Amino acid sequence: MATTIATLTEKTDGTLEGVFATIRVNAPIALIPNANKASEEAPDYRIIHRKTGFEIGAGWNRVSRQTGEEYISTKLEAPEIGVIFGNVAPAPGGEPGRKVILWNSPA
């Protein structure tokens, strides 16, 4: 079962904005395209806390080996949550421009 940890709206400039929410955290976030990638390994997105401007994670464009579809793999990190990995996926209901981050359970 996939657990939704963020809801996002895609903006015309490629930025995704929304809320990262768990039992302990409720934070406004933005995934901002990284226009200044220094290498192939550098993140394709920077994830920032929209109120503080602090960088709390990153995202990389990936292609599914099973389906060939593109997606964004994310890593969020903060003292109160540790490290959380997830993937950006279309939101339930198929509404264009709506996305979610689904938590990748380490188990």
Side-chain angles (χ1 to χ4, degrees):
M1 180 173 115
T3 301
T4 299
I5 58 170
T7 56
L8 306 166
T9 301
E10 190 170 13
K11 305 297 181 182
T12 56
D13 65 357
T15 298
L16 296 161
E17 290 186 353
V19 176
F20 167 62
T22 68
I23 291 172
R24 294 188 286 171
V25 177
N26 189 331
I29 63 169
L31 282 75
I32 300 170
N34 183 7
N36 299 321
K37 280 183 64 160
S39 70
E40 280 298 312
E41 293 80 30
D44 295 296
Y45 292 86
R46 301 285 187 193
I47 303 175
I48 62 159
H49 187 286
R50 289 186 2 235
K51 286 186 180 176
T52 64
F54 296 151
E55 188 169 331
I56 61 168
W60 293 264
N61 291 323
R62 300 285 190 241
V63 177
S64 169
R65 287 183 231 159
Q66 294 178 340
T67 66
E69 291 185 44
E70 294 181 3
Y71 67 97
I72 301 169
S73 174
T74 63
K75 176 183 176 184
L76 296 127
E77 188 170 3
E80 60 274 11
I81 61 168
V83 177
I84 294 179
F85 294 96
N87 294 323
V88 176
E95 187 179 331
R98 299 284 296 159
K99 308 281 185 191
V100 294
I101 296 179
L102 300 174
W103 173 52
N104 289 340
S105 172

